[in-house]
Amino acid sequence: MADRRDGGFSGVGERRRPASARAIARWKEPARYAPSDILALLWRQWPLMLAVFVLIVATGFVFALRLHQTYPARSSILIRLGQEYVYQPAFGDAARGTAPDNDQVVQSELEILGSTAVKAQVVQDIGVARMSPELGRAYARANPEKRHDIEAAAIKMIETGLKISSTPGNAIVGLSYSARDPELAALVLNTLVDEYLRYRRAVLIDKDAGPMQDQLNTLHGRLETADKAYEKFLADNGVASGDYEAEKAFLSTLYGQLTTEGYSVQAQLAEAQGRLGIVAREAATTQPEIGLYRDLDHSAQDKLATLNTQRADLSSRYLPGTQPLRDIDQQIAAQQALIRSGANAGDGARRVGPNPNYQALVTEKNQLEAQVASFRDRKAQLAASLAEIAGKRQKLTALDPQFQDLSRQRELLTANVKGLAQRAQESQALAKGGEGNIRVIQRAFPPTTGTSLKKPVIFLSILFGAFAALCAGLLRAFLTKGYPTPEAVEREIELPVLITTPRMA
């Protein structure tokens, strides 16, 4: 006979005398259960399991009945990259224009949207009494410290009912707020969106206006000081044009022009001096005066002609060989002999005047001497002007480091003032223009359909009750000593059970 350890039955084959050493060894091992044994064990624990199941399900039903129906109001906004996220350095251009990706912008905006400051402002706008009548009555009776706690509880209500959903790569953010009153749900959500739009402007834009204006005023003062130092530098160093670089360029150009003109004057002077030497030598070898004309002596020929005329006249009156003819012939012969001897040849009247070539040479020499003197004077003037300009250029070159330092300061300050002024204008435009990168796609409307967790709570309580009852039954069965069926005894001692008896009290 086998006596069941839980008192369920008595059977054959007592454990005190096992059939073999192997049976004795297996008797000392933990009991092994088949699936049918588990079902038998659970069936014997059905009162406990039923009690656990009923207790949990009843508790779930009571909790579900206490749940109220809520109305979720929904809204959505579109968030895109805006100018306020583009990096604009106050000074210089390093990393200018750098911007985050849209997902980073969305996460930043979600942090602002879910901030406690926005929710606290929503509570102030709506009022604690409108948020919750119970909190409103307590708020009216509370002292300042308690009121702060009540406001925190109202903020907690918003945090509990508010749901913010976003998807990576999607610029649309969904908002949902659940409340018992549908009108309150829509009011809270719309107020939250409005306060978020105002608060983000204060965080991203308005807070930069004051410090930016202070920086701009400081830079204007520094720029004015730099301008005065620059103007004083130009006045002290005689830069008449008011532009240092233009003055340097003008002096360089003028120096080049005067140098070129100096070379030209030198060449002209050399040419004039060469011509002057040639003309002076020619004038030295030329006679100042020349004969203009002279008259020849024709008296012998004239006398001979007269004698021939007289002979012709005498021939008409005397016969040949007469004395008058012989006398006149002798005179003619003597006169012819005189002419042939040239004794009577000589100049008559003669006239002398200035030499035109000599006068031309003298005139050209005088002109060349005047040109040479003029070229020498011009050369001297050019040399003096070049020396003066070279001195000014050397002075400006020596002052160039100081000028460059002043110029760099002015240019840097001017660029900084321009960039900061542009940023200030952009900030003002952003502040006036509203939220250019934020668009409210859908504002919240009072929902007409509510949601309740009663059915899910009841269903989960049934599932949990069944699971808890099963666990309780198994735990009770495994902690109770004994065997659930005769088959379990046979498997344990490897001996057949011949007889079983009903369970005894």
Side-chain angles (χ1 to χ4, degrees), residues 321-371:
T322 59
Q323 188 60 39
L325 289 175
R326 288 195 300 271
D327 291 339
I328 197 68
D329 288 336
Q330 290 178 355
Q331 291 178 3
I332 291 173
Q335 190 64 32
Q336 290 177 344
L338 180 63
I339 293 173
R340 283 193 297 270
S341 65
N344 62 338
D347 294 334
R350 184 181 181 188
R351 187 172 181 177
V352 179
N355 189 349
N357 293 333
Y358 179 79
Q359 290 181 345
L361 291 174
V362 170
T363 301
E364 186 176 1
K365 177 183 176 184
N366 293 334
Q367 292 176 351
L368 291 174
E369 287 176 348
Q371 289 182 359

Side-chain angles (χ1 to χ4, degrees), residues 229-245:
Y230 181 81
E231 293 173 359
K232 184 176 182 300
F233 168 81
L234 296 180
D236 293 343
N237 295 281
V239 181
S241 63
D243 190 343
Y244 180 86
E245 294 294 344

Side-chain angles (χ1 to χ4, degrees), residues 307-333:
L307 291 176
N308 287 328
T309 302
Q310 290 177 358
R311 185 182 183 284
D313 182 52
L314 291 175
S315 295
S316 65
R317 289 184 293 142
Y318 296 97
L319 292 174
T322 59
Q323 188 60 39
L325 289 175
R326 288 195 300 271
D327 291 339
I328 197 68
D329 288 336
Q330 290 178 355
Q331 291 178 3
I332 291 173

Side-chain angles (χ1 to χ4, degrees), residues 432-458:
K432 294 179 181 179
E435 295 72 25
N437 62 321
I438 305 298
R439 292 285 187 273
V440 179
I441 299 177
Q442 175 185 348
R443 296 189 67 84
F445 294 95
T448 58
T449 304
T451 60
S452 177
L453 295 178
K454 291 181 179 180
K455 291 182 180 180
V457 169
I458 293 174

Side-chain angles (χ1 to χ4, degrees), residues 5 48 84 95 116 118 151 165 183 188 191 218 266 283 294 330 368 375 378 403 423 429 445 456 465 474 480 482:
R5 287 174 285 181
L48 174 64
E84 59 269 25
T116 305
V118 175
E151 290 176 354
S165 60
E183 297 288 342
V188 170
T191 306
T218 302
Q266 179 65 30
R294 63 179 180 177
Q330 290 178 355
L368 291 174
F375 288 146
R378 182 58 180 163
F403 169 77
R423 285 190 58 194
F445 294 95
L474 290 176
T480 303

